[in-house]
């Protein structure tokens, strides 16, 4: 356990770095190494695993299921439901299908993947039913901007939301203007997806940025570790990098103990300024 634990509103704590799984389970030839990477992450304390019914059409959940089969109790399992399944009987079917692929009887945190046409109130009702049935322990949302979050907490049951999972990395800081402080004031942790900007694919030049590279050099760490330490510098933010190799997982886990100095944070701020006005929520 590090001092970088993040706590959900119901008191459950997790390390501030977890493991993403998008693109896992796509190719049979990669599955064994994906399982090894996830298990190595568990060994190093990265116990939150984030997946979704969408990823590889259930294939990523199946990989996770195999990785955790003998060690379910160590894992804080997060999965997501498609918006079109996030209500009524379809939600039960979607959740049961996820549970089957994940080889478990419960999901620790079940998220609405993004907002669709089903009213939020109906989604929350479905989440409560799943919770009552013991199929999920808690629920949250993903890709909801502040106006959607305000709508969500405008009804009682909506205030049981445990997280908003959104895109956040050094070169995409829009949430710092409003959504991030709004959530943190209410003790709702943010789960930062694409914390490595997909290894720079989402922002050309991020990994090669001279400032980021200098900060890495001066701390004797890698660029990926700079990006992760930067994301989790806020108390209440969990980064969920996806790593397909044990070497990458090791690097990511070690970022839990990296503390960037105020001077380095300022240098990163100058190169990648915080937003000065409202911007649309970035998504992939
Ligand atoms: P990330 O920013 O996590 O980047 C993943 C890429 O970074 C992979 O190519 C990986 O390569 C590489 N990588 C991992 N560790 C290192 C390292 N130490 N050094 C160099 N490269 C590294 O992007 P994702 O899109 O995967 O986002 C993370 C997770 O967030 C997803 O997997 C998913 O679980 C979740 N997500 C949620 C969304 C939502 O709508 N709610 C949307 C998008 C993502 P390799 O595989 O070779 O290790």
């Amino acid at each position: 356990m590090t001092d970088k634990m993040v706590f959900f509103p119901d008191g459950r704590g997790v390390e501030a770095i977890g493991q993403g799984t998008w693109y896992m389970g796509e190719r049979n030839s990669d599955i064994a190494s994906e399982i090894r990477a996830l298990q190595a992450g568990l060994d190093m304390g990265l116990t939150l695993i984030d997946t979704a019914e969408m990823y590889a059409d259930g294939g990523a959940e199946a990989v996770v299921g195999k990785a955790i089969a003998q060690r379910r109790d160590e894992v804080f399992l997060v999965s997501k439901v498609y918006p079109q399944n996030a209500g009524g009987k379809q939600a039960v079917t979607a959740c049961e299908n996820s549970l089957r692929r994940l080889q478990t009887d419960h999901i620790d945190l079940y998220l609405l993947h993004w907002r669709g046409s089903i009213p939020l109130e109906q989604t929350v009702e479905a989440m409560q039913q799943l919770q009552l049935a013991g199929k999920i322990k808690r629920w949250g949302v993903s890709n909801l901007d502040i106006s959607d979050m305000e709508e969500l907490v405008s009804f009682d049951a909506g205030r049981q939301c445990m997280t908003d999972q959104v895109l956040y990395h050094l070169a995409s800081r829009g949430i710092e203007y409003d959504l991030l402080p709004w959530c943190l004031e209410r003790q709702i942790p943010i789960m930062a997806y694409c914390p490595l900007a997909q290894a720079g694919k989402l922002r050309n030049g991020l990994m090669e940025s001279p400032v980021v590279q200098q900060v890495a050099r001066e701390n004797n760490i890698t660029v990926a570790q700079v990006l992760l330490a930067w994301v989790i510098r806020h108390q209440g933010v969990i980064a969920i990098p996806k790593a397909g190799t044990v070497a990458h997982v090791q690097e990511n886990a070690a970022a839990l103990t990296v503390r960037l100095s105020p001077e380095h944070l300022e240098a990163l701020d100058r190169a990648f300024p915080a937003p000065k006005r409202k911007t649309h929520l970035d998504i992939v």
Side-chain angles (χ1 to χ4, degrees):
M1 196 165 106
T2 70
D3 64 348
K4 269 291 174 189
M5 293 284 284
V6 175
F7 293 90
F8 292 102
D10 64 354
R12 179 67 155 88
V14 292
E15 293 289 355
I17 296 180
Q19 307 189 72
T21 64
W22 196 16
Y23 291 114
M24 287 191 181
E26 300 265 357
R27 284 195 309 211
N28 282 338
S29 54
D30 290 341
I31 288 177
S33 79
E34 290 163 354
I35 291 173
R36 273 198 301 279
L38 288 170
Q39 290 177 335
L42 294 180
D43 293 340
M44 288 176 269
L46 306 189
T47 55
L48 184 155
I49 298 181
D50 177 81
T51 190
E53 63 172 331
M54 182 187 106
Y55 303 160
D57 223 357
E61 287 183 328
V63 169
V64 173
K66 290 193 183 101
I68 68 171
Q70 308 303 321
R71 47 200 303 189
R72 172 67 185 91
D73 292 348
E74 294 169 50
V75 183
F76 185 87
L77 192 51
V78 184
S79 194
K80 311 183 204 80
V81 59
Y82 270 125
Q84 64 270 26
N85 290 338
K89 287 199 182 100
Q90 272 155 285
V92 179
T93 307
C95 184
E96 284 175 347
N97 287 339
S98 287
L99 290 172
R100 185 176 35 77
R101 289 186 291 261
L102 290 162
Q103 302 185 40
T104 183
D105 62 357
H106 70 278
I107 290 167
D108 295 291
L109 177 60
Y110 200 40
L111 309 181
L112 167 66
H113 207 149
W114 64 90
R115 190 171 183 175
S117 57
I118 295 181
L120 286 178
E121 241 171 315
Q122 281 179 31
T123 296
V124 172
E125 216 171 279
M127 293 293 194
Q128 285 183 307
Q129 291 304 320
L130 291 170
Q131 225 174 334
L132 271 177
K135 294 179 199 295
I136 67 171
K137 295 289 180 203
R138 45 188 84 67
W139 63 268
V141 294
S142 177
N143 295 304
L144 258 56
D145 205 349
I146 195 155
S147 56
D148 294 320
M149 289 304 283
E150 273 168 348
E151 184 182 330
L152 186 65
V153 301
S154 70
F155 48 95
D156 279 352
R159 285 196 278 279
Q160 297 304 309
C161 174
M162 293 285 152
T163 192
D164 190 9
Q165 183 179 116
V166 292
L167 187 149
Y168 184 49
H169 57 73
L170 178 63
S172 181
R173 303 181 57 173
I175 65 165
E176 287 178 40
Y177 184 76
D178 52 2
L179 182 65
L180 180 65
W182 187 95
C183 285
L184 297 187
E185 271 163 30
R186 288 162 181 78
Q187 276 83 47
I188 300 174
I190 285 278
M191 290 177 71
Y193 73 69
C194 301
L196 301 172
Q198 296 191 337
K201 268 188 253 144
L202 299 179
R203 280 294 187 287
N204 274 342
L206 177 61
M207 309 299 267
E208 296 76 29
S209 148
V211 177
V212 178
Q213 295 209 338
Q214 190 184 351
V215 172
R217 236 180 357 259
E218 290 180 7
N219 284 283
N220 205 16
I221 58 176
T222 66
V223 164
Q225 289 173 322
V226 173
L227 297 179
L228 293 177
W230 181 87
V231 165
I232 63 166
R233 74 200 185 287
H234 292 287
Q235 187 59 40
V237 178
I238 305 162
I240 47 167
K242 177 261 176 181
T245 65
V246 172
H248 278 167
V249 176
Q250 274 166 343
E251 223 179 284
N252 299 346
L256 272 172
T257 54
V258 173
R259 299 288 172 272
L260 299 173
S261 68
E263 295 72 28
H264 283 147
L265 289 172
E266 270 169 39
L268 293 168
D269 264 343
R270 279 193 298 276
F272 299 92
K276 292 206 168 54
R277 63 184 69 85
K278 171 75 187 154
T279 49
H280 278 298
L281 185 63
D282 205 358
I283 55 168
V284 285

